[in-house]
Amino acid sequence: MVRQPEQAIGRRSNPARALEWESGSRLYNSDAMPAPHNAALPTLITAFVAGVFALLPRVLLAVESVPLRMATELSPAPAPVATPAFARADSVRGRIGQETVFTGNAELRRGGTRLRGDQITYRENDDEAFASGAVRLARDGLVFTGPELELRLDSMVGHFERAEFSIPAVSGRGSARRIDFIGRGKLAMFDTSYSTCTPERPAWFVRASMLNYDKPAGVARTRDAKIDFFGTTIMELPELSFPIGEGRHSGFLLPTGRVSSRTGLSVSAPYYWDLAPNRDLTLYPRLLTRRGVQVGGLFRYLEPEQAGEVRLEALPGDRSAGRDRWFASATNKISDWRGWSGGWTVRGVSDDNYFADFSTSILGASERSLPREAFLTRTLGDWTVLARAASYQNILEARAAPPYSRVPQLAANWDLRDLKGFDLASGFDLSRFERPIAGSAAGWRAVVHPTVAWSFRSPGAFLVPRLGLHASSYYLDSNVVTPGIPGDLSGTRALNRFLPTLSMDSGLVFERPMTWTDQRVWTQTLEPRIFYVRTPYRDQSKFPLFDTAQADFNFAQLFSNNTFVGNDRIADVNQLTTALLTRFLDPATGREALRFGIGQRLYFEPQRVTIAGEAPRSDTRSDLLAAGGATINPGWTVDGGMQANLAEARVPRFNFATRWNPRPEHIVNLAYRYRRDLVDQIDVSAQWPVSERWYLLGRFNWTLAEIAGIQPGLVESLAGAEYREDCWATRVVFQQYVTSAISRTTAVSLQLELSGLAKIGSDPSAILSRSIPGWRVRPDREISTGRYFGYE
């Protein structure tokens, strides 16, 4: 049946992956390839890729960081395919039910298939169409053009001669000598080429003698594939496969490479093994020219009740260290196991210098205590219970003063809100502490901490009086005095302590309209706050220090009951905190444009409870704290804080940070941090374009004073450049950072990105995102797709 529809309505088979296509795609000719803006750059990149990466017999181009999905997850059922055929043309002739010829601007549509051409012959009995002259076929998010087509519409079996094609979902396009349609979503292309570049500037393309496209299986495979970059073949692959859409398939990934002063040239050829929809394994053998061959593996899993990963690395016979090296890590998160949540983390290394030798950042090289812990927790009405065990492997300087292991820890918290206006809560904790230092105290500690509070709150004021009791008991294995080790003491094996605490927290909130020089009306708030706390003195000099330290002095700590963190010391306090905060808010959006606050404590009694090595406080006033922040405009923010001792006219702590981000990919960060005897650093980082296609990247961290044995100078430096074209980009990053007081690591990373195909080399994204706040990975294409995107 032939009809002339007034309006064509159809559907796509995969609307989430399609893009608007270009009708003027052309064959790629390497001889006609234009020169880049910088002719020397592709030559250098080509030499690097060809010289570093060995050829592999089979390579899988995989999407990086592909998420796992649940094995029980169901795919949406396909919508029913429409069976009637609709057609129109300038003229129509033929026999109904047999053969119909459409001539002049001919168009034939069936289900999700649209066919156009100068002439279309349709045989209704065979459901077969023959098209010639400017043929265009759109189906399953793919567009084909060429001179002649023969196709069975229902089974999608046929062939297309001298065809060009486009994949709008990834802005890809290419050509083939012949395309065979071998079923729905299945194609075989012969002597084909493919690229995501614009037809006018095809910087790169993939050529293959044959390409099998299997959308139902979610994979495409090629034979005798070559990747050409500006006319030069940079990689030849006898077999190449890559996933279609979000699927994952087993195979070799593209090689990666990096140069470091610790390892020399590092080249890895990872193999990805898709075990199941919710499990996978990546094996990454790595050749290190200065050390030998390292083997590693990462196993990931995702179950209905839990998820986690296991990573193992081994380097037998390290040539530089003269011993075997290894690293192991296992993490697991339990979301709902019979009502329980929890998890575990287990990490270990073979020796003290493993992270310094093999980490790729100063953050990784600074690890000292590796956790080995597991916990389970559950909420039962007003109760939350916890069971936990934690110990550590300590390396380098952490061996001298390691944290205590806590095996086991049994804890519970009870929280009952608004019982006739009162809030009741209580915490319970029973733990055993040990650490591997001769003479250190070890034993059990039980803590009970009930509180009762009454809360009054209104839009302009609040008042919260609170009464609490801290009760703790210790039963110690030994109390041996070891000079220089805090927490080691002599005395009885059993220790008990009961301390009440009374506090009163109150505040007001005032608002008024405020007009600045820009004539905009803002809402200014004035928020005074007063906090009083009283805890009597008890002699605690015989109590060990298992998990307690002096609390950091900051705005949050100003309003806490205890000047220590942990349960081994309860400070004797009789103090009043006063603070004042003001903010400027946009009344239309609530956006905060400016904030500034100051606060100080008044002490009514001198301090008597201390930690070994800490001098007791004798002042009647604390240092003054001041902090503020402003959003000067949408692209410029400023934050800062200061701790000032007014009596001695000194500043123990100061920090300042500003970010200028006027447009995307235009970022400058400047920060200064000072803390007496601990930190005195300037940090500068930036990403900025110097031309239409060149971007410079950098981060420099200076220490201005000798701290922890590190001499004044650069602690961490990073310098890089990025060059971007329409369909490719390259990045080079030079990095140097301190790994100890006497050693540094220098590394170089180079990456070539072929948009929509692969990233070749060492990916510096993790380094850049950590080093340059505000830096983000740039997407290949900014494309919006909808349900009917790509529909014709």
Side-chain angles (χ1 to χ4, degrees), residues 241-262:
S241 64
F242 51 92
I244 301 169
E246 299 180 355
R248 308 188 316 274
H249 297 275
S250 301
F252 280 101
L253 306 177
L254 283 175
T256 62
R258 185 172 183 264
V259 179
S260 168
S261 59
R262 294 269 182 171

Side-chain angles (χ1 to χ4, degrees), residues 72-90:
T72 56
E73 182 178 333
L74 299 178
S75 301
V81 178
T83 55
F86 303 90
R88 60 184 175 186
D90 294 340

Side-chain angles (χ1 to χ4, degrees), residues 284 286 296-299 309-313 327-331 346:
Y284 46 94
R286 182 180 293 127
L298 173 64
F299 171 67
E309 65 178 42
V310 179
R311 183 186 297 271
L312 299 173
E313 295 177 356
F327 166 74
S329 173
T331 60
V346 179

